Amino acid sequence: MTFILKLNILALFTLISISVIAQEKAVPVFKEGEAQVVEDFNTPKKWIRHDLFVETTFDTDGDGKLDRMHVDVTRPYQTDTEGLKLPVIYESSPYYAGVAPDVEGLFWDVKHELGEIGKERVHPEVVRKGNRPIISNSQIATWVPRSYIVVHSSSPGTGLSQGAPTVGGDNESLAPKAVIDWLNGRAKGYTEPYGNEEVKAYWSTGKVGMTGTSYNGTIPLAAATTGVEGLEVIIPVAPNTSYYHYYRSNGLVRSPGGYLGEDIDVLYDYIHSGDESKRAHNNTKIRDTEMKNGMDRITGDYNDFWAGRDYLNDMKPMKAALLMSHGFNDWNVMPEHSYRIYKKAKEMGLETSIYYHQLGHGGPPPVSMMNKWFTHYLHGIDNGIENESNKAWIVREDDKMENPTPYKDFPNPDAEDITLYLTSAAPEVGGLTTTKIPNQNTETLIDNFSFNGEALAKAEITSHRLLYVTPKLSKDIHISGVPKITVKLASSKPAANLSVWLVSLPWNEGRKVKITDNIITRGWADPQNNKSMTNGEPLELGKFYEITFNLQPDDQVIKAGQQIGLMIFSSDKDFTLHPKPGTKLAIDLDGTSLILPIVGGSEAFKDAIFID
């Protein structure tokens, strides 16, 4: 009896021990709809980190073998010791292995006449950073402790990833798709770039979220447009959603802010850090043929080449939830890039929200906001984000990035378009009014790229711009939406730049100037494209043409005491080509107007006009 009793006690003790061990297994923890830091996962020295190569469905480097993408994985050790499966946060980039040096001649020459092309640029080689087993450490410290596995990959033709960079070509969508397929057991991963030893993602639940900034923010959208199963949510930050809109504007050859003379072939050279032995083939096929024949720096027209690099055209299969993030004063990847995709995603019925701030390039949503989106779509926690009545989160001018104001949507549903008309006074400053005054004069400006936009906006008298301002505001005005301008003009040459700035005056200067103080929004267009974006025609000298185009989206409060100014000029020193000064643009004021979306509409605007 004693022996049997001892055996029973031992068995009971064993069962209790097993139960305690089972209870002590590390599991995700959630509070108030967010994944919390789990100390058992917050153990960097114990994280399992390894790299591999995922096979794609394409061969873009011409070696007769399917290209493989270099992938790195960072995961809690419990995914091995306890059989734990977790969702994945994934970032892909062309930048992980370094970029080309900024040498003289890297960018296109912009000092030449419109309709011509500048001197040939140089093609620097990227010196690839070493054969690093870990591609990147971004995202890891934030998300691994919060019960996620973090995955990175180099995009095609960069780093240790095979293939060719195409800057928006199909392979840059299919590459992240292959990685997501591998995470779901539908594609093959290997331990070596040319080996046959397979790697399985046995630790993945198959649910994937993607994020990243700029080019790294473009790739999540690219992956989502394939409709790949398992990609549940994307959070793109300042993504380039159309390379046409990045390097052109309404038919005009226009550089992204800060990179005068950059074009798509420049970016190709900048990121081409892949296998040195494959670069000559890639250069011949992609840069020197496809890009050279399609990018068209002569006319700036929209064509099949650009249409193939516009993700708006590829959104039909997309089903991932979308939290978009952008800055209203991003003059590199301009805010239209995010808005056009957000708008389309809403029309498609996708779960969608947008976070805007008042700064420049970059700026992700607050970690708490991202956490809730990833927690809901990847861990399946019902935290209600899909039922929120507010779809837009906008950081107001004086607030911190982590403190956005919720709105029902962007544009603000309470915004109404008002039309403003011009009154003459050139070369001094004219008026901007809600009342259309007939029989206004035609006013003329003379192009001169040597004066930048700031100098033109500050000038009391100049022949190089036309400026029209509202009366001084007695109350704040809230602009929300996409301003639109119609300009009726004639040119003294067959081609001319057309630039438009909406400014807040008087121009604020000094160390305390905020990015929202002076420039409200901007826009550029080619008058040759007054009828068609795909077929611009030379202007007849002296003939008036009407062209209508959008300015960049904005949501900004213009303070009482300021004046809203519409500035029309020709060459924009920091963005457009620099033709020889002297082109004259005559503006028909009767045929020119500005549509401005104002919260509260015409009543709010009229109420804010200061009356002496």
Side-chain angles (χ1 to χ4, degrees):
M1 291 289 292
T2 303
F3 177 71
I4 293 173
L5 180 61
K6 286 181 177 180
L7 284 177
N8 287 338
I9 292 173
L10 180 61
L12 180 61
F13 179 81
T14 301
L15 288 173
I16 292 172
S17 298
I18 292 172
S19 176
V20 170
I21 291 170
Q23 290 176 2
E24 289 179 350
K25 280 188 176 182
V27 294
V29 175
F30 306 98
K31 183 180 179 181
E32 297 179 352
E34 297 182 36
Q36 302 298 300
V37 172
V38 177
E39 288 306 316
D40 287 339
F41 299 151
N42 194 17
T43 55
K45 291 182 179 180
K46 292 184 178 181
W47 288 340
I48 299 170
R49 308 188 72 176
H50 56 100
D51 62 332
L52 63 137
F53 297 83
V54 169
E55 187 172 80
T56 68
T57 57
F58 53 81
D59 170 22
T60 51
D61 56 19
D63 64 359
K65 301 173 184 177
L66 294 177
D67 298 336
R68 294 182 182 182
M69 298 300 106
H70 183 205
V71 176
D72 79 29
V73 177
T74 304
R75 51 191 174 92
Y77 70 89
Q78 293 89 345
T79 54
D80 271 0
T81 61
E82 299 176 10
L84 180 67
K85 291 189 175 185
L86 293 172
V88 170
I89 292 177
Y90 171 30
E91 180 173 1
S92 184
S93 175
Y95 298 131
Y96 291 146
V99 295
D102 187 5
V103 300
E104 184 177 354
L106 169 64
F107 298 106
W108 283 94
D109 175 28
V110 297
K111 196 172 182 180
H112 59 80
E113 296 302 301
L114 278 64
E116 299 177 0
I117 195 163
K119 60 186 177 183
E120 281 294 321
R121 45 175 293 268
V122 301
H123 301 290
E125 288 284 324
V126 181
V127 177
R128 179 159 41 110
K129 293 181 180 178
N131 296 341
R132 298 172 296 169
I134 302 302
I135 299 174
S136 175
N137 288 310
S138 66
Q139 312 300 341
I140 292 172
T142 300
W143 301 113
V144 174
R146 289 178 170 84
S147 309
Y148 294 96
I149 294 163
V150 171
V151 169
H152 295 90
S153 72
S154 287
S155 58
T158 73
L160 298 183
S161 284
Q162 298 166 356
T166 57
V167 193
D170 289 344
N171 68 334
E172 292 188 2
S173 300
L174 296 174
K177 176 184 183 298
V179 175
I180 296 166
D181 281 335
W182 172 70
L183 291 166
N184 280 272
R186 299 187 297 265
K188 292 184 177 181
Y190 298 93
T191 59
E192 301 292 338
Y194 295 101
N196 294 316
E197 182 182 348
E198 289 193 37
V199 182
K200 303 286 187 180
Y202 55 84
W203 31 259
S204 167
T205 64
K207 291 185 178 294
V208 181
M210 293 188 72
T211 190
T213 298
S214 197
Y215 209 139
N216 299 16
T218 299
I219 295 174
L221 176 62
T225 62
T226 68
V228 59
E229 294 290 338
L231 181 56
E232 305 295 332
V233 56
I234 61 172
I235 306 180
V237 181
N240 183 341
T241 66
S242 163
Y243 284 93
Y244 183 84
H245 289 77
Y246 190 59
Y247 292 117
R248 307 287 183 267
S249 182
N250 300 298
L252 196 70
V253 175
R254 187 214 64 205
S255 304
Y259 298 92
L260 187 64
E262 186 186 328
D263 211 324
I264 193 167
D265 61 334
V266 178
L267 185 53
Y268 169 93
D269 282 336
Y270 192 67
I271 66 172
H272 195 188
S273 59
D275 186 346
E276 290 82 356
S277 69
K278 304 293 178 62
R279 293 186 189 179
H281 169 273
N282 295 344
N283 292 343
T284 298
K285 179 182 177 182
I286 305 299
R287 185 191 68 198
D288 301 335
T289 302
E290 183 178 346
M291 289 183 175
K292 184 177 181 179
N293 294 339
M295 58 190 278
D296 184 11
R297 283 185 66 84
I298 299 294
T299 72
D301 292 350
Y302 191 75
N303 56 26
D304 290 343
F305 171 83
W306 294 114
R309 286 165 167 80
D310 186 339
Y311 292 106
L312 188 68
N313 298 331
D314 299 331
M315 286 183 65
K316 187 175 181 180
M318 180 172 164
K319 49 183 177 284
L322 170 68
L323 171 58
M324 186 67 84
S325 178
H326 215 140
F328 280 124
N329 292 282
D330 186 348
W331 304 117
N332 182 351
V333 182
M334 301 195 188
E336 66 179 338
H337 284 269
S338 55
Y339 175 64
R340 60 204 298 272
I341 300 299
Y342 170 69
K343 182 173 181 287
K344 179 65 174 179
K346 285 195 303 179
E347 293 170 357
M348 293 170 61
L350 299 177
E351 295 293 343
T352 308
S353 190
I354 197 159
Y355 167 87
Y356 275 124
H357 57 83
Q358 303 294 338
L359 300 180
H361 190 50
V367 170
S368 176
M369 183 180 293
M370 297 178 70
N371 193 335
K372 287 178 180 177
W373 277 70
F374 284 144
T375 294
H376 177 72
Y377 290 104
L378 302 184
H379 280 291
I381 300 301
D382 185 10
N383 56 17
I385 62 164
E386 77 281 15
N387 297 320
E388 287 186 346
S389 58
N390 296 309
K391 297 299 182 183
W393 299 82
I394 298 174
V395 180
R396 293 271 45 108
E397 290 74 6
D398 298 317
D399 290 343
K400 295 181 179 180
M401 294 280 283
E402 63 271 19
N403 187 33
T405 300
Y407 294 91
K408 289 182 179 179
D409 206 351
F410 175 80
N412 191 312
D414 295 329
E416 298 177 8
D417 287 343
I418 66 167
T419 302
L420 299 177
Y421 303 97
L422 285 53
T423 62
S424 60
E428 299 182 46
V429 178
L432 200 57
T433 174
T434 55
T435 302
K436 186 171 184 177
I437 300 175
N439 303 317
Q440 290 288 299
N441 297 327
T442 296
E443 298 194 324
T444 300
L445 64 92
I446 302 171
D447 183 27
N448 191 335
F449 71 84
S450 63
F451 297 95
N452 66 20
E454 177 180 345
L456 294 176
K458 290 160 56 177
E460 292 184 18
I461 299 176
T462 177
S463 61
H464 301 305
R465 60 95 179 106
L466 300 174
L467 180 59
Y468 307 91
V469 302
T470 66
K472 186 182 295 184
L473 303 180
S474 60
K475 295 182 179 180
D476 294 353
I477 285 289
H478 186 176
I479 298 171
S480 181
V482 184
K484 179 183 291 187
I485 189 165
T486 296
V487 181
K488 190 172 183 180
L489 59 78
S491 173
S492 65
K493 290 186 178 180
N497 292 317
L498 177 61
S499 303
V500 172
W501 283 17
L502 202 62
V503 295
S504 180
L505 298 174
W507 195 274
N508 196 4
E509 297 185 85
R511 289 185 297 175
K512 294 184 179 181
V513 172
K514 299 195 300 293
I515 199 169
T516 55
D517 280 356
N518 297 316
I519 300 171
I520 300 172
T521 187
R522 325 192 217 206
W524 303 263
D526 184 351
Q528 291 185 331
N529 292 90
N530 57 84
K531 293 181 179 179
S532 169
M533 290 299 299
T534 60
N535 187 25
E537 298 180 350
L539 305 173
E540 294 183 29
L541 306 192
K543 179 179 177 179
F544 278 88
Y545 298 85
E546 185 178 283
I547 183 168
T548 299
F549 56 97
N550 292 337
L551 307 185
Q552 291 297 316
D554 196 27
D555 191 296
Q556 184 173 335
V557 175
I558 311 303
K559 297 294 186 181
Q562 294 293 107
Q563 293 175 283
I564 297 173
L566 172 66
M567 185 169 74
I568 302 172
F569 58 118
S570 186
S571 297
D572 191 331
K573 185 174 184 177
D574 297 324
F575 293 90
T576 68
L577 299 179
H578 295 174
K580 184 179 179 180
T583 301
K584 294 181 180 179
L585 292 183
I587 308 298
D588 182 343
L589 271 59
D590 289 340
T592 301
S593 60
L594 171 69
I595 295 176
L596 200 58
I598 299 292
V599 175
S602 58
E603 291 302 316
F605 184 80
K606 291 177 181 177
D607 194 37
I609 299 301
F610 179 81
I611 303 296
D612 287 319

